[in-house]
Amino acid sequence: MISLQHLKSGALLVVILLFLGATMYNRNYKKVNKKFLVTLHITQDQSGVLAVDAARLAEIRTAIADASDFFTPIGISFEVGDVYYIDNYQYDVISTEEELTEMSGKYDKENRLNLYLFSMFDEEMAGGCGLAGQVTDANKNLFMSQACVNPVSFAHEMGHFFGLLHTFNPDDFNTTELVDGSNCDTDGDQICDTPADPYIPGSATGWVRDCAFIYEGQDANGDYYDPDIENIMSYYFESCACGLHFSPGQFKKMSETYFSAIDPLATNPVCVW
C-alpha cells in the first residue's frame, strides 16, 4: 500500500532528479578560454577635467580584472588595454541613446571591447549606471558611468554583452514566469535554473532585508516567489554582496552567444579579440 508520505517522498525525489538532470545539462557548455582586451574611452567636462583621474583609473583597471573571477567556469577574463581620451565635453553627461551611438561611431576601436566612461547619465536616461551592447552586434561596446564601475557591475554588464537578460525580465512590469518553472524557457530571462523573479525597477516595494527575500507576492498560480537574490543578473546584489554568481544555465547561454558570434571555420574570426 502506498501512503501519502510515500507519494510526497516520491514527488520530492522526482523534483530532485529533474533538478540534477537540468544542472548536468546546463553544465554541458563549451569553454571560451579567452582574455578580452578592454579599450577605455574617457570623457572630460567643459573645463577639461577628466571623468576618470589617475587614481580612479587604477581602481577601474583592478575592478575589470577582478570581474574575471565570476567568469572562470567558461574561461573568460578581462584586462584593460589601451586608454583613449575624448576631447569633446558633450559626451560627459549622457542624455540620449543617440549620443551613445554617435560616440561609438566616432571612437570605437576594431577588434576590441570598447568601454566608454563618463561622468553620468542624466535624468532623461533615468540616472542609470550602464548600458551594454552584445557580442553579436557589429559594434562591441559598453557605456558606464565611471562611478559605477566595480567588479560586480562590470560583470553584470558583461552578462548582458554575452546575451543574458535580467532575472526579472521584462523590466517594466511583473514577470509572467511561473514559480513552478513550467514556462521558464519562454518567460522571464528564459533560463530555467534562475527562479522566477518579480522585481520591478523603481518600485517602492520592499524586496530584501538582511539578505533574505521578504516580498510576499504570488505568481498567477498563487505560488510565492523565491528568486536567487545572489544572482549577478538580478538587482538584489546591491543588498546581498556575498556569494554572488551566475548560474550554470547562464554560463551555457553566454558560451552559446559567444560562439554564435564567430565563424568557427575562420582562422582569424573578426569577433574574437
Side-chain angles (χ1 to χ4, degrees), residues 211 229-230 237 239-245:
C211 268
I229 62 176
E230 295 178 338
F237 63 76
S239 302
C240 301
C242 298
L244 295 173
H245 59 271

Side-chain angles (χ1 to χ4, degrees), residues 15-192:
V15 170
I16 291 173
L17 289 174
L18 287 172
F19 172 78
L20 290 176
T23 300
M24 291 176 65
Y25 171 76
N26 282 332
R27 290 188 187 279
N28 184 28
Y29 42 74
K30 186 176 180 180
K31 296 189 74 169
V32 173
N33 291 329
K34 183 70 182 178
K35 176 178 284 186
F36 289 80
L37 286 178
V38 182
T39 296
L40 301 185
H41 302 268
I42 298 173
T43 64
Q44 59 181 290
D45 67 14
Q46 193 166 0
S47 301
V49 176
L50 294 172
V52 178
D53 62 20
R56 179 61 178 143
L57 179 57
E59 293 173 350
I60 289 172
R61 286 182 183 274
T62 300
I64 288 173
D66 289 348
S68 304
D69 293 343
F70 294 115
F71 296 84
T72 299
I74 50 175
I76 286 177
S77 62
F78 308 98
E79 180 182 327
V80 172
D82 295 329
V83 179
Y84 296 92
Y85 297 93
I86 297 176
D87 186 19
N88 189 335
Y89 66 82
Q90 77 177 70
Y91 299 124
D92 193 49
V93 177
I94 299 298
S95 302
T96 66
E97 290 194 29
E98 285 74 20
E99 288 178 335
L100 300 180
T101 301
E102 184 179 281
M103 187 163 53
S104 169
K106 288 181 178 180
Y107 303 111
D108 271 6
K109 302 299 180 183
E110 291 186 357
N111 301 329
R112 291 291 182 270
L113 174 58
N114 295 274
L115 171 58
Y116 290 86
L117 299 172
F118 42 85
S119 290
M120 69 180 74
F121 289 102
D122 73 4
E123 293 181 0
E124 294 297 320
M125 296 286 288
C129 265
L131 288 173
Q134 287 203 348
V135 66
T136 51
D137 294 340
N139 297 321
K140 312 294 187 289
N141 46 43
L142 293 85
F143 306 91
M144 296 188 72
S145 171
Q146 66 85 16
C148 291
V149 180
N150 60 53
V152 178
S153 63
F154 183 78
H156 179 97
E157 296 304 331
M158 289 308 302
H160 288 311
F161 184 77
F162 289 116
L164 299 184
L165 301 172
H166 290 134
T167 55
F168 52 85
N169 188 68
D171 293 352
D172 54 351
F173 53 86
N174 281 104
T175 181
T176 53
E177 184 178 1
L178 298 172
V179 171
D180 65 12
S182 57
N183 62 348
C184 63
D185 56 346
T186 58
D187 292 54
D189 65 355
Q190 301 173 26
I191 293 177
C192 287

